[in-house]
Amino acid sequence: MPQILTAINEEKIIKKIFNNKKLKNKNILYKEAIIDTLKKNKNIDILIISEKLPGEINFIKLIKNIKKINKKIKIIIIL
């Protein structure tokens, strides 16, 4: 089963995703925390991220940094 990391600031979407009992993941609330989490856990397969997520990092730079850390990760962006 793929490991999924979420970084979404929308409660309705989070409830729908985590309603699936097979998923045991936490939701990241800041852009900087995504980088820290990915550095600690290189086994993340999918990242679901919201563009509205708060943080100091520019969104494009964030995506580039994520790809540097894990080249095989699949990123789903919610606009």
Side-chain angles (χ1 to χ4, degrees):
M1 173 179 293
Q3 287 194 359
I4 300 172
L5 179 66
T6 59
I8 306 169
N9 207 9
E10 299 287 333
E11 273 191 52
K12 291 180 183 178
I13 297 172
I14 293 169
K15 285 180 183 178
K16 293 224 179 213
I17 290 172
F18 291 124
N19 218 12
N20 183 348
K21 301 296 183 203
K22 294 180 184 178
L23 296 178
K24 294 181 181 178
N25 298 299
K26 62 180 182 174
N27 187 43
I28 304 290
L29 299 176
Y30 294 98
K31 292 177 184 175
E32 292 80 6
I34 296 170
I35 301 296
D36 293 338
T37 304
L38 289 175
K39 285 182 180 177
K40 291 177 186 175
N41 186 356
K42 305 252 182 195
N43 296 327
I44 303 291
D45 299 307
I46 300 170
L47 171 64
I48 303 172
I49 184 172
S50 173
E51 185 183 29
K52 295 180 182 179
L53 199 66
E56 298 292 321
I57 301 173
N58 178 313
F59 193 74
I60 301 298
K61 288 183 182 179
L62 174 66
I63 299 299
K64 288 180 181 179
N65 286 340
I66 291 168
K67 282 301 209 177
K68 283 181 188 176
I69 295 169
N70 185 346
K71 292 180 177 160
K72 294 182 180 183
I73 194 167
K74 295 177 183 173
I75 302 172
I76 299 170
I77 300 171
I78 299 173
L79 300 176

